[in-house]
Amino acid sequence: NAGVTQTPKFRILKIGQSMTLQCTQDMNHNYMYWYRQDPGMGLKLIYYSVGAGITDKGEVPNGYNVSRSTTEDFPLRLELAAPSQTSVYFCASRGNQPQHFGDGTRLSIL
Amino acid sequence: DQQVKQNSPSLSVQEGRISILNCDYTNSMFDYFLWYKKYPAEGPTFLISISSIKDKNEDGRFTVFLNKSAKHLSLHIVPSQPGDSAVYFCAASTNAGNMLTFGGGTRLMVKP
């Protein structure tokens, strides 16, 4: 099925470890986004991209990095995991229609 | 400073009745508003949207109303069905849906 695919679905990290959350879309969308959702809260924009090679910060970018080498992929990198980064992370893409979301990655940092 | 607020964390409605979910915003530059629906362990799915040039948009059982002077929008679901039980997020944008600002969500429970 066409859509946004996020891997892994779940992950537990130790403080100070690093990891990359993967996001791939097969809809040839130019726009891609990373959000985090903390318990009981709405989604907050971390980073976004308007096309391959172009990225920009959102509302809460500290502690994260992104890259966009292809139209399909938009990985999110955590370099030094901190407990405050425990959250559910959603990737989204957009063409001419509203943003289409993946099913999320639940990340716990202990 | 929350620019988009959903003041009711939860709402319980009887099947067949109307569900009304509310959303308030503070940024007068917002010109496009959306509602997303989210089931547990899934990503949000787009439900309905409205541009600031309109005051109402309807899609089947779902209607969104926009009151620009009050900076308020609402989502009406008629009739409500048990399958509508989910968390509903209101979102707003200043640039036609590119960057979205989300509210905190309202959990709707529709009782059979």
Side-chain angles (χ1 to χ4, degrees), chain A residues 62-109:
Chain A
N62 291 344
Y64 307 95
N65 281 300
V66 293
S67 59
R68 184 95 182 270
S69 57
T70 67
T71 299
E72 294 78 20
D73 300 309
F74 190 39
L76 178 71
R77 179 83 177 164
L78 282 72
E79 291 294 351
L80 289 171
S84 62
Q85 293 177 306
T86 293
S87 191
V88 181
Y89 291 83
F90 290 101
C91 179
S93 71
R94 184 175 81 92
N96 293 325
Q97 298 297 318
Q99 292 184 27
H100 182 90
F101 286 81
D103 284 339
T105 294
R106 183 175 297 273
L107 180 63
S108 294
I109 298 163

Side-chain angles (χ1 to χ4, degrees), chain B residues 2 12 15 17 28 30 34 46 50 52 54-55 57 63-64 71 73 79 87 89 91 94 102 105-106:
Chain B
Q2 274 189 289
S12 182
E15 181 179 6
R17 305 295 293 268
S28 58
F30 286 141
L34 308 89
F46 170 71
I50 188 167
S52 61
K54 294 185 174 181
D55 55 18
N57 189 26
T63 302
V64 56
K71 295 190 178 66
L73 66 156
V87 177
F89 290 100
T94 59
F102 282 84
T106 296

Side-chain angles (χ1 to χ4, degrees), chain A residues 31 33 35 37 40-45 48-50 57-59 90 94 97-104 106, chain B residues 1-2 32 34 36 38 40-46 49 87 89 95-105:
Chain A
Y31 294 87
Y33 310 84
Y35 293 89
Q37 185 193 10
M41 306 290 285
L43 283 72
K44 292 189 176 181
L45 184 64
Y48 68 99
S49 169
V50 301
K57 296 177 180 179
E59 183 183 356
F90 290 101
R94 184 175 81 92
Q97 298 297 318
Q99 292 184 27
H100 182 90
F101 286 81
D103 284 339
R106 183 175 297 273
Chain B
D1 179 31
Q2 274 189 289
Y32 185 62
L34 308 89
Y36 278 84
K38 186 183 180 303
E42 294 184 9
T45 55
F46 170 71
S49 64
V87 177
F89 290 100
N95 46 13
N98 183 19
M99 294 176 63
L100 298 180
T101 301
F102 282 84

Side-chain angles (χ1 to χ4, degrees), chain B residues 47-100:
Chain B
L47 194 55
I48 193 169
S49 64
I50 188 167
S51 164
S52 61
I53 63 173
K54 294 185 174 181
D55 55 18
K56 176 183 174 181
N57 189 26
E58 193 171 354
D59 183 2
R61 296 186 298 114
F62 303 92
T63 302
V64 56
F65 295 92
L66 176 62
N67 182 335
K68 288 186 290 294
S69 61
K71 295 190 178 66
H72 176 83
L73 66 156
S74 60
L75 174 68
H76 292 209
I77 306 173
V78 183
S80 302
Q81 299 173 353
D84 296 329
S85 297
V87 177
Y88 289 78
F89 290 100
C90 168
S93 170
T94 59
N95 46 13
N98 183 19
M99 294 176 63
L100 298 180

Side-chain angles (χ1 to χ4, degrees), chain A residues 11-52:
Chain A
R11 182 75 183 266
I12 298 175
L13 281 182
K14 293 182 179 178
I15 296 171
Q17 286 186 321
S18 62
M19 79 163 292
T20 299
L21 283 67
Q22 301 291 345
C23 176
T24 300
Q25 53 95 4
D26 59 3
M27 297 172 283
N28 201 33
H29 288 166
N30 284 325
Y31 294 87
M32 294 188 75
Y33 310 84
W34 274 106
Y35 293 89
R36 60 176 287 174
Q37 185 193 10
D38 297 329
M41 306 290 285
L43 283 72
K44 292 189 176 181
L45 184 64
I46 305 171
Y47 271 95
Y48 68 99
S49 169
V50 301

